[in-house]
Amino acid sequence: MPAVSKGDGMRGLAVFISDIRNCKSKEAEIKRINKELANIRSKFKGDKALDGYSKKKYVCKLLFIFLLGHDIDFGHMEAVNLLSSNRYTEKQIGYLFISVLVNSNSELIRLINNGIKNDLASRNPTFMNLALHCIANVGSREMAEAFTADIPKILVAGDTMDSVKQSAALCLLRLNRTSPDLVPMGEWTSRVVHLLNDQHLGVVTAATSLITTLAQKNPEEFKTSVSLAVSRLSRIVTSASTDLQDYTYYFVPAPWLSVKLLRLLQCYPPPEEGAVRGRLTECLETILNKAQEPPKSKKVQHSNAKNAVLFEAISLIIHHDSEPNLLVRACNQLGQFLQHRETNLRYLALESMCTLASSEFSHEAVKTHIETVINALKTERDVSVRQRAVDLLYAMCDRSNAQQIVAEMLNYLETADYSIREEIYAVDYTWYVDTILNLIRIAGDYVSEEVWYRVIQIVINRDDVQGYSAKTVFEALQAPACHENLVKVGGYILGEFGNLIAGDPRSSPLIQFNLLHSKFHLCSVPTRALLLSTYIKFVNLFPEIKATIQDVLRSDSQLRNADVELQQRAVEYLRLSCIASTDILSTPSTSTDLLGLGLAPVLNSVAPASAGGSLLVDVFSDNSPAVASLAHTAEENFSSPRIGSADVVSDDPAAAVHDADELVNKFVCKNNGVLFENQLMQIGLKSEFRQNLGEYNSRTKQVDPAVDGGAQVQQILNIECVSDFMEAPILNIQFRYGGALQNMSVKLPVTLNKFFQPTEMTSQDFFQRWKQLSIEQQHSLTVSCKSFCFIIDSPQQEVQKIFKAKHPMDTEVTKAKIIGFGVALLDMVDPNPSNFTGAGVIHTKNIQVGCLLRLEPNTQAQVRGVFIFQFYSRVLEICVCVCHIYIYIY
Amino acid sequence: MIGGLFIYNHKGEVLISRVYRDDIGRNAVDAFRVNVIHARQQVRSPVTNIARTSFFHVKRSNIWLAAVTKQNVNAAMVFEFLYKMCDVMTAYFGKISEENIKNNFVLIYELLDEILDFGYPQNSETGALKTFITQQGIKSQTKEEQSQITSQVTGQIGWRREGIKYRRNELFLDVLESVNLLMSPQGQVLSAHVSGRVVMKSYLSGMPECKFGMNDKIVIDKQGKGTADETSKSGKQSIAIDDCTFHQCVRLSKFDSERSISFIPPDGEYELMRYRTTKDIILPFRVIPLVREVGRTKLEVKVVIKSNFKPSLLAQKIEVRIPTPLNTSGVQVICMKGKAKYKASENAIVWKIKRMAGMKESQISAEIELLPTNDKKKWARPPISMNFEVPFAPSGLKVRYLKVFEPKLNYSDHDVIKWVRYIGRSGIYETRC
């Protein structure tokens, strides 16, 4: 019987499926399937060849069984045979089976590929389409390898049918996504671009998707597509909808194509050609205009399609960021959407506005909607929309409205369900500390570690708020239930600055300690470890409660704690507090500086100099500045000095750091000289710096003639700058002189600027970067806003300081100083000849930071003159440090 | 402390839902349906823990019975209760099916109220229940009747009411055993055990005292102490029982001290005891498989079965199930006896023999054609399983006596007509090939 007469019905298949559907239980279904599988197996095994119809039917059944979740391990061959059939339905089922069930069986893949090749070569468009669809559906690497060469040919061949072209473009797109390295770029690329001019809109839509993906990979090759896309877009947008074949969707002309074209344009900067640019602007304006028109249909599809195009247009406008007029219009349009009934629209509007807010042209316009946004934050039901609203509030926040916004947000926080992580924009420190502590109190769980690191970082570095914050924290801790983060902050701040409030009888040392210790048992291990460190700091700060603390440390719950870290700390701190005098404690305790001395303790060699009989010079460096990492690990950056050996007891290094700041400051611009001198000894210094490594050659000379005049000991110290730092490392020296132990500590003249590498720059370069940095600063505001808190005040990337010169101004001297400072002096760069400019790169182990410097002497203002010192770099801390150092030398 | 009891049909629709405790909410009903009945992977464990709630389920044909609790209950107790519940329902309306449950839902709720109180199982003896939960609608009971029920339900012998009278005192005793076996291809027994039940049907008047005796090794040995010759005579006949459980009517104290089983039987059918043995099992059949793979596309199977019991006995309902590979495309079977058929839906050859005498053997040979597949997995060769029914107890258990004493009424042990029957069935009776 000819297969045609049976039609496409495949009664057997329908019966089988209905049998399965009627099965009462899973077991019954499995039984039915087993029976069918056995039947198919016997049919496939049978000696007489099956006709196309039966083959198709059985392959279909197998496919159905497979989709029900059963393993199919045969029938592939029959499916491949179907590919060579001339009947469309049979071929289709064959391809379907292969797309769903293909596995990397080598022989079959070869046969399948052969079948596909034949179909691609046939001039029958439906067969070609089937083959292309199969390639795209499988999309495997093997497929890509086999066909990437052929498909572009089909795509650009003149005589290919439109529908085939469409499939070919999409197929190529899919292969490009799965194995981008295999898709060849060649002469066909230019011809693909011209598909944008194709008569058939389907082809254009498919081609646009392909070009967009390819253009993201190598924009240069597809640059010509911009003008074509613009002209196509303008034809769609401005033309009457009648000539768009079937591509008008609910009165919106070709919305998908428009969106894709707009996306394509987002791969490129605004077109430079005036005509193209004008045309594009006109298109965008038309789209914005159309948004204002009353809807042509009440159907939701109409407005959806219209808005899709509109939003894509707006993101293109934002991307170009060049037409203030359009930006403002877009902003206003979004403002209307903010109050729209549709939740999705509100969400999208807030999201787009977020990006709009970062553009300088539309920032002000966005700010006009602040009330609406705050309102959205308060009344919106959907949490994701509220999150968007919060994002937008950050984005639009600046000096003028920070107070208002933060107040609103805190307000909101009290009532909100805490799912939104709080981020803060602070103006002054006291207020900032208050806010954050408040925040931790209210929503402790949602405050990330960084937030409280930041608090401590700020408190440590601002003398003026230390006392205040200690007090605040102390008060906050008195609440019966505190969040663990608060305990952490409390432990840290009280440990460092508890002495500042110890005068008040209400917060005497013992009360402070008891308060902290009352929280101890409720905390997790890291917090307990931190609290233990706090206790040892207390031992240092308040010797009067030493006994109490030792008792606590000695208790079994500490000394025999199951947690190894806690146990070790307890043991070490206990020993430390028992053995060491107050002096030794102060050294490690105070060196817990947060703003990171980026110096690893590299010096640890002991060089006993047998210069004269009784002299022993010992460069003792165990207690030199402990490793201080940046604020990120600030939780505990105090590497406990291992005082296991008893000899330390006998020769305590003196803690009295020689306050030889003036001496040290001499070295800011110099590398050699005498570092220290008294009647006993003289320390000379010779240093070399290469990028982030430094080498010291210090000469210690005995100057007392009575013993052994003039003996020299040389000690080489290698220093590596890990990250930025402010405090100089300290060199402790101890020796025996005349039977008495002598100790001294000298600051090593290592400052951040030592790690400068001078950079030469032309005037043009210099000012371009200068400007760029000042723009970036604006930009980074919004970026860092998102991540967490930010401070408006001085520490931005730019540091500007006005200071009085201590010495009369002399051009040559200033020049020498700038060179000595480490940066390259850029002559003739600044238009004003009296200004000085410099550029350099600071090398640290972690980062390299470029810095620009400008010094503007103002001789009129004072007798000695005033310098305006401007300094730019990408990293805030570095600016602060460098600025600090620089002011020293004047 | 069962928190609730649900009955579902095969689709997961709730037929009966009875909640006994507040900690079980309505969502528990759905949780079981979603996580067990409609689970993507078939749930094989009878106990499921969902959100700190335990579900114990048993399945009867297409019906799921699930007991729910939030407490740490004795799982064995819960299952015992569920099985008892099934027995009670069967005793009331026959087969447990969706139809029957829907038709009797009032009765079922009534039963559930009676046999579970605040989640604690109560008297679930069918005989006792039937006296006051009837299917004849509300029967107005006289005061005497009511007080009688009360005293009976709350009394010492809750499982039997007084004043039963039969013209013919009759007693049926069934020893039902199922024998489980796993044998290696070489004929080595890998594991074997028999689980048996003694089921009794008693139609006796009054409150008779019964005494049941079997060839329990301990009892025989004890008696043997006195008369040595008897030990040698019946030594082989005695069996070692690994463990046993009794119906509540059996006096356990007497069993513990004297190892004698004495009881006042309930009226009607009940299970007197359950036991298990693992030693000296008589295996009724031996299966000898021979499987040969001829190339990639053919498989030759030959299976011989030998009956291993007295030639005078007849085994019935013998069924041998020979699994076939998953890529079987055709099967030819030749058997000397019975009927054999390839059942594609079960992926097995099923060979059925109606009757077979002891000490005989029979064989089947099959040629299985295979379809070459690209699957690298080898066929796992599942074991050949067997079903049968034999008229003796594979464990070797023998009923030695069953004595009935009724001092108040005028009938003696001799007047009671007693019937004893042994049935040995196959449990999981498998031989690897």
Side-chain angles (χ1 to χ4, degrees):
Chain A
M1 204 196 320
V4 187
S5 65
K6 289 178 181 170
D8 269 353
M10 291 198 278
R11 229 177 83 82
L13 180 66
V15 168
F16 173 59
I17 292 175
S18 74
D19 275 2
I20 294 275
R21 297 249 161 95
N22 289 335
C23 280
K24 279 260 162 86
S25 65
K26 191 139 186 133
E27 292 77 37
E29 185 184 308
I30 289 169
K31 274 191 177 171
R32 180 71 185 90
I33 285 168
N34 279 338
K35 196 174 150 198
E36 193 60 46
L37 282 176
N39 176 37
I40 297 171
R41 278 197 298 262
S42 67
K43 285 288 186 330
F44 281 173
K45 176 79 179 184
D47 301 326
K48 59 177 196 302
L50 291 168
D51 59 353
Y53 167 78
S54 330
K55 233 186 246 174
K56 179 180 77 172
K57 187 175 76 186
Y58 293 133
V59 167
C60 252
K61 282 183 182 174
L62 285 181
L63 197 54
F64 182 74
I65 293 170
F66 177 76
L67 294 178
L68 280 178
H70 299 265
D71 278 339
I72 295 296
D73 50 8
F74 65 99
H76 299 80
M77 201 56 216
E78 281 70 20
V80 173
N81 284 345
L82 281 178
L83 293 191
S84 53
S85 157
N86 275 329
R87 223 177 289 284
Y88 172 77
T89 51
E90 287 165 21
K91 223 186 238 303
Q92 183 198 24
I93 296 295
Y95 273 121
L96 190 61
F97 188 87
I98 286 160
S99 323
V100 176
L101 261 144
V102 88
N103 53 12
S104 42
N105 185 315
S106 57
E107 48 187 319
L108 272 181
I109 281 284
R110 211 166 41 78
L111 284 170
I112 294 168
N113 283 357
N114 208 18
I116 294 177
K117 254 201 175 92
N118 285 341
D119 279 343
L120 285 182
S122 77
R123 306 311 295 168
N124 186 334
T126 50
F127 289 0
M128 287 171 90
N129 266 346
L130 278 178
L132 286 169
H133 292 169
C134 178
I135 297 171
N137 278 334
V138 176
S140 67
R141 235 189 133 69
E142 292 85 25
M143 285 280 181
E145 271 164 10
F147 301 109
T148 40
D150 301 345
I151 299 169
K153 278 183 216 149
I154 297 170
L155 182 58
V156 295
D159 54 348
T160 318
M161 292 266 294
D162 286 337
S163 63
V164 178
K165 268 191 202 167
Q166 209 171 332
S167 301
L170 292 175
C171 181
L172 200 56
L173 175 63
R174 157 80 182 179
L175 293 184
N176 185 51
R177 277 184 192 148
T178 50
S179 31
D181 49 317
L182 286 178
V183 176
M185 287 307 199
E187 44 88 37
W188 61 274
T189 48
S190 57
R191 296 173 67 185
V192 165
V193 172
H194 285 281
L195 285 180
L196 288 179
N197 271 338
D198 201 284
Q199 289 293 318
H200 193 265
L201 273 188
V203 177
V204 182
T205 315
T208 316
S209 297
L210 176 64
I211 293 168
T212 311
T213 315
L214 293 174
Q216 275 159 359
K217 206 161 71 172
N218 32 3
E220 276 310 307
E221 280 203 58
F222 294 92
K223 222 168 179 163
T224 44
S225 64
V226 173
S227 59
L228 289 174
V230 170
S231 65
R232 177 53 97 170
L233 184 65
S234 78
R235 258 182 287 161
I236 294 169
V237 172
T238 51
S239 71
S241 54
T242 44
D243 60 339
L244 284 172
Q245 300 149 14
D246 297 330
Y247 286 83
T248 303
Y249 177 81
Y250 287 90
F251 305 106
V252 183
W256 281 277
L257 181 54
S258 319
V259 165
K260 280 180 176 171
L261 287 170
L262 288 164
R263 285 231 174 109
L264 173 60
L265 289 173
Q266 280 176 51
C267 300
Y268 292 98
E272 276 144 30
E273 247 176 278
V276 180
R277 198 185 174 121
R279 214 163 163 197
L280 178 60
T281 314
E282 188 190 329
C283 283
L284 293 173
E285 264 169 1
T286 321
I287 293 173
L288 286 174
N289 284 342
K290 276 193 182 165
Q292 296 295 339
E293 287 168 13
K296 285 182 185 145
S297 158
K298 279 204 172 125
K299 287 254 168 64
V300 68
Q301 288 96 328
H302 170 71
S303 58
N304 276 349
K306 210 165 93 170
N307 290 333
V309 178
L310 178 64
F311 272 109
E312 212 50 61
I314 288 173
S315 45
L316 180 64
I317 293 169
I318 295 168
H319 171 77
H320 283 174
D321 196 15
S322 55
E323 303 272 345
N325 178 28
L326 281 178
L327 280 165
V328 171
R329 278 196 65 186
C331 184
N332 292 339
Q333 184 60 49
L334 291 176
Q336 285 178 15
F337 283 146
L338 281 183
Q339 279 146 325
H340 203 275
R341 256 183 329 117
E342 187 87 2
T343 315
N344 290 336
L345 265 186
R346 288 198 300 268
Y347 180 93
L348 286 171
L350 286 168
E351 197 180 44
S352 307
M353 234 181 208
C354 241
T355 38
L356 262 182
S358 57
S359 161
E360 51 180 322
F361 299 114
S362 55
H363 190 74
E364 286 306 315
V366 172
K367 270 160 69 179
T368 54
H369 298 291
I370 186 160
E371 286 306 325
T372 327
V373 178
I374 288 173
N375 207 25
L377 185 65
K378 281 180 185 154
T379 56
E380 187 61 61
R381 277 225 199 102
D382 192 327
V383 73
S384 56
V385 179
R386 284 203 300 269
Q387 279 172 338
R388 274 316 117 224
V390 172
D391 277 352
L392 178 56
L393 279 179
Y394 296 141
M396 62 167 69
C397 196
D398 63 10
R399 268 166 223 266
S400 60
N401 53 14
Q403 290 272 17
Q404 182 199 357
I405 287 177
V406 173
E408 285 294 344
M409 299 234 277
L410 273 179
N411 232 342
Y412 170 63
L413 189 73
E414 298 265 11
T415 58
D417 50 356
Y418 303 140
S419 62
I420 299 170
R421 206 177 67 183
E422 185 52 25
E423 300 155 19
I424 290 292
Y425 203 114
V427 225
D428 89 278
Y429 291 112
T430 333
W431 178 77
Y432 175 79
V433 171
D434 269 350
T435 315
I436 297 283
L437 288 179
N438 220 355
L439 175 65
I440 293 173
R441 186 173 57 75
I442 296 166
D445 281 337
Y446 300 96
V447 176
S448 66
E449 298 276 282
E450 295 142 45
V451 176
W452 75 263
Y453 289 166
R454 181 81 186 152
V455 182
I456 288 173
Q457 200 181 359
I458 285 162
V459 171
I460 296 250
N461 290 305
R462 305 294 299 194
D463 299 343
D464 44 337
V465 293
Q466 284 168 358
Y468 173 78
S469 55
K471 197 158 148 256
T472 325
V473 170
F474 179 75
E475 276 159 14
L477 276 175
Q478 274 168 338
C482 299
H483 191 266
E484 193 160 334
N485 276 343
L486 186 63
V487 179
K488 285 184 189 170
V489 178
Y492 210 94
I493 291 182
L494 289 182
E496 290 294 323
F497 309 111
N499 53 338
L500 298 174
I501 56 166
D504 192 330
R506 279 168 302 170
S507 53
S508 72
L510 195 60
I511 293 177
Q512 283 185 30
F513 172 74
N514 285 340
L515 180 61
L516 277 180
H517 198 62
S518 68
K519 315 282 181 206
F520 186 86
H521 302 282
L522 304 170
C523 297
S524 63
V525 170
T527 316
R528 288 187 190 195
L530 189 142
L531 284 178
L532 283 180
S533 301
T534 308
Y535 297 164
I536 195 72
K537 289 179 204 162
F538 275 162
V539 172
N540 172 41
L541 288 175
F542 319 117
E544 62 268 32
I545 58 165
K546 184 170 166 182
T548 322
I549 291 172
Q550 279 176 347
D551 280 346
V552 169
L553 288 175
R554 207 173 282 127
S555 70
D556 274 359
S557 61
Q558 312 299 350
L559 270 192
R560 303 208 180 127
N561 197 300
D563 188 87
V564 115
E565 172 71 23
L566 288 183
Q567 195 186 44
Q568 188 181 356
R569 282 192 193 221
V571 172
E572 285 179 359
Y573 292 164
L574 183 63
R575 291 296 294 158
L576 194 62
S577 65
C578 294
I579 296 168
S581 66
T582 39
D583 296 339
I584 189 173
L585 281 171
S586 64
T587 316
S589 308
T590 50
S591 63
T592 319
D593 193 343
L594 271 161
L595 199 59
L597 285 152
L599 286 179
V602 280
L603 15 101
N604 48 14
S605 57
V606 177
S610 52
S614 64
L615 182 74
L616 180 72
V617 176
D618 194 351
V619 179
F620 198 86
S621 55
D622 261 357
N623 284 345
S624 74
V627 196
S629 46
L630 253 187
H632 296 290
T633 52
E635 178 251 323
E636 185 50 66
N637 52 14
F638 159 21
S639 77
S640 53
R642 320 265 154 185
I643 309 187
S645 54
D647 57 347
V648 181
V649 188
S650 61
D651 41 27
D652 274 347
V657 178
H658 260 270
D659 198 19
D661 270 350
E662 296 82 5
L663 272 173
V664 172
N665 287 333
K666 280 201 303 201
F667 284 87
V668 168
C669 299
K670 281 201 298 184
N671 283 338
N672 306 324
V674 175
L675 177 65
F676 175 80
E677 193 167 15
N678 67 4
Q679 66 270 40
L680 289 179
M681 67 188 296
Q682 179 189 7
I683 301 174
L685 191 80
K686 214 173 158 181
S687 55
E688 265 178 52
F689 288 91
R690 210 180 310 107
Q691 296 187 346
N692 63 334
L693 302 172
E695 189 184 63
Y696 268 96
N697 246 336
S698 62
R699 265 163 231 285
T700 320
K701 201 199 270 170
Q702 181 63 41
V703 287
D704 190 349
V707 184
D708 193 356
Q712 264 192 15
V713 178
Q714 189 172 330
Q715 185 66 37
I716 296 174
L717 308 176
N718 289 313
I719 290 170
E720 188 179 16
C721 180
V722 180
S723 64
D724 48 326
F725 62 96
M726 259 174 113
E727 293 289 352
I730 294 164
L731 180 73
N732 288 330
I733 299 172
Q734 68 172 189
F735 55 92
R736 215 172 273 278
Y737 175 68
L741 197 65
Q742 303 282 335
N743 272 318
M744 59 181 72
S745 298
V746 183
K747 266 194 185 170
L748 279 180
V750 184
T751 49
L752 188 58
N753 69 308
K754 294 289 182 198
F755 304 100
F756 258 126
Q757 199 181 32
T759 321
E760 289 294 339
M761 258 182 210
T762 63
S763 167
Q764 196 192 350
D765 267 353
F766 184 86
F767 282 101
Q768 195 185 341
R769 295 222 182 158
W770 190 265
K771 272 184 199 135
Q772 196 186 342
L773 282 167
S774 57
I775 289 165
E776 263 179 20
Q777 169 203 335
Q778 281 271 325
H779 189 68
S780 73
L781 269 184
T782 57
V783 173
S784 48
C785 260
K786 286 206 170 159
S787 65
F788 72 115
C789 53
F790 208 82
I791 298 165
I792 298 182
D793 200 21
S794 66
Q796 294 160 10
Q797 282 144 323
E798 176 200 8
V799 171
Q800 189 172 27
K801 283 275 173 184
I802 301 173
F803 56 90
K804 290 177 194 160
K806 293 175 187 156
H807 314 286
M809 280 191 218
D810 182 315
T811 320
E812 286 312 307
V813 172
T814 314
K815 270 186 183 173
K817 274 184 177 166
I818 288 177
I819 292 168
F821 193 60
V823 296
L825 181 71
L826 305 175
D827 249 342
M828 315 304 292
V829 163
D830 202 292
N832 182 351
S834 63
N835 286 355
F836 302 97
T837 50
V841 178
I842 288 185
H843 288 267
T844 71
K845 193 183 168 195
N846 302 332
I847 45 166
Q848 298 186 356
V849 186
C851 304
L852 302 174
L853 172 151
R854 190 155 81 148
L855 196 62
E856 202 175 318
N858 186 343
T859 37
Q860 268 83 51
Q862 296 236 329
V863 187
R864 281 178 173 173
V866 167
F867 282 116
I868 296 175
F869 178 82
Q870 279 181 302
F871 192 81
Y872 275 130
S873 95
R874 270 166 214 269
V875 179
L876 182 144
E877 279 83 2
I878 289 204
C879 298
V880 182
C881 296
V882 171
C883 178
H884 221 78
I885 298 161
Y886 195 79
I887 294 167
Y888 264 132
I889 56 177
Y890 282 95
Chain B
M1 298 143 282
I2 296 166
L5 203 132
F6 309 127
I7 300 179
Y8 302 84
N9 67 5
H10 72 281
K11 285 181 203 148
E13 289 161 355
V14 188
L15 305 176
I16 301 284
S17 150
R18 177 77 172 84
V19 177
Y20 292 95
R21 291 186 174 228
D22 291 340
D23 55 356
I24 303 297
R26 299 295 301 176
N27 50 358
V29 185
D30 300 323
F32 182 76
R33 181 190 23 248
V34 171
N35 290 292
V36 180
I37 301 179
H38 291 166
R40 204 162 287 166
Q41 243 92 42
Q42 216 178 340
V43 176
R44 298 177 69 185
S45 157
V47 183
T48 324
N49 217 307
I50 308 158
R52 312 178 98 201
T53 311
S54 307
F55 293 82
F56 305 80
H57 76 263
V58 295
K59 237 185 131 182
R60 283 282 179 274
S61 63
N62 272 334
I63 299 296
W64 300 72
L65 272 92
V68 196
T69 183
K70 282 221 161 159
Q71 270 135 340
N72 187 13
V73 296
N74 182 349
M77 183 272 279
V78 176
F79 282 111
E80 190 59 42
F81 171 78
L82 286 175
Y83 289 129
K84 199 80 210 174
M85 167 89 195
C86 291
D87 289 346
V88 169
M89 288 199 291
T90 319
Y92 268 93
F93 51 77
K95 196 172 164 259
I96 297 174
S97 65
E98 189 176 347
E99 180 88 4
N100 277 343
I101 287 176
K102 280 181 177 166
N103 289 339
N104 291 291
F105 80 92
V106 179
L107 171 72
I108 292 172
Y109 278 116
E110 213 175 324
L111 285 172
L112 283 175
D113 280 344
E114 190 54 43
I115 60 179
L116 264 186
D117 188 5
F118 194 47
Y120 292 100
Q122 307 293 310
N123 190 353
S124 51
E125 216 34 65
T126 323
L129 286 171
K130 276 196 170 164
T131 59
F132 49 90
I133 298 176
T134 56
Q135 286 160 285
Q136 275 82 48
I138 299 160
K139 192 169 71 177
S140 64
Q141 281 157 330
T142 58
K143 270 226 168 118
E144 291 88 74
E145 271 177 318
Q146 276 179 353
S147 67
Q148 199 193 336
I149 288 168
T150 316
S151 73
Q152 198 247 310
V153 169
T154 53
Q156 245 188 332
I157 305 165
W159 56 89
R160 189 181 178 92
R161 63 192 166 91
E162 281 186 62
I164 300 169
K165 269 239 160 76
Y166 288 102
R167 204 190 293 160
R168 225 158 83 127
N169 288 310
E170 222 171 353
L171 200 144
F172 299 86
L173 199 67
D174 287 348
V175 177
L176 307 170
E177 292 194 342
S178 74
V179 53
N180 300 286
L181 168 79
L182 182 63
M183 194 179 250
S184 77
Q186 288 76 34
Q188 195 186 350
V189 176
L190 300 173
S191 86
H193 74 271
V194 170
S195 57
R197 307 187 299 145
V198 178
V199 176
M200 224 169 149
K201 229 184 263 178
S202 64
Y203 303 105
L204 301 169
S205 312
M207 295 293 262
E209 174 84 34
C210 297
K211 212 170 169 198
F212 175 66
M214 55 181 181
N215 56 344
D216 182 359
K217 200 173 184 182
I218 299 171
V219 179
I220 302 278
D221 288 357
K222 220 195 262 173
Q223 287 175 345
K225 265 177 203 162
T227 51
D229 55 327
E230 207 184 346
T231 315
S232 60
K233 223 166 71 188
S234 62
K236 260 196 175 171
Q237 306 282 306
S238 64
I239 60 158
I241 289 174
D242 283 17
D243 43 39
C244 54
T245 53
F246 292 102
H247 188 267
Q248 58 165 332
C249 62
V250 175
R251 292 195 185 89
L252 289 178
S253 55
K254 260 205 168 150
F255 180 76
D256 287 343
S257 58
E258 301 165 26
R259 217 162 161 98
S260 71
I261 303 162
S262 69
F263 55 95
I264 296 171
D267 198 36
E269 189 175 344
Y270 63 98
E271 186 185 284
L272 181 66
M273 74 178 285
R274 255 185 256 176
Y275 59 92
R276 203 170 67 97
T277 68
T278 48
K279 284 199 192 80
D280 299 327
I281 294 164
I282 307 155
L283 297 172
F285 284 95
R286 169 85 209 278
V287 177
I288 305 158
L290 270 171
V291 179
R292 200 161 66 92
E293 282 178 54
V294 190
R296 275 188 71 201
T297 59
K298 207 169 171 188
L299 200 68
E300 281 180 5
V301 181
K302 201 171 131 186
V303 177
V304 181
I305 56 166
K306 282 184 181 167
S307 56
N308 185 25
F309 45 90
K310 268 189 257 168
S312 56
L313 299 174
L314 270 181
Q316 283 183 308
K317 298 179 191 168
I318 301 153
E319 186 186 288
V320 182
R321 182 176 290 263
I322 306 161
T324 56
L326 292 175
N327 54 346
T328 305
S329 62
V331 178
Q332 273 95 47
V333 207
I334 307 162
C335 59
M336 304 188 314
K337 222 176 157 198
K339 279 180 191 166
K341 207 178 164 190
Y342 168 56
K343 283 204 171 168
S345 60
E346 289 152 43
N347 281 322
I349 299 168
V350 179
W351 177 26
K352 282 182 180 165
I353 303 170
K354 276 199 182 131
R355 247 172 252 106
M356 191 169 175
M359 299 318 238
K360 289 259 169 68
E361 74 169 62
S362 183
Q363 75 166 12
I364 183 175
S365 57
E367 266 185 25
I368 300 170
E369 281 178 76
L370 304 174
L371 193 71
T373 62
N374 36 24
D375 219 6
K376 300 286 180 290
K377 270 185 286 177
K378 239 189 140 221
W379 183 44
R381 289 202 180 190
I384 294 172
S385 61
M386 204 176 163
N387 288 319
F388 54 80
E389 212 179 280
V390 287
F392 62 92
S395 68
L397 182 131
K398 291 259 159 48
V399 177
R400 288 173 58 224
Y401 56 83
L402 184 84
K403 293 171 188 156
V404 182
F405 310 98
E406 172 49 280
K408 283 182 194 160
L409 292 172
N410 264 341
Y411 69 94
S412 69
D413 184 33
H414 303 289
D415 302 331
V416 179
I417 307 157
K418 297 171 196 163
W419 306 86
V420 179
R421 177 166 67 160
Y422 298 94
I423 300 173
R425 291 204 180 92
S426 58
I428 298 166
Y429 201 86
E430 292 179 331
T431 308
R432 290 186 179 157
C433 59

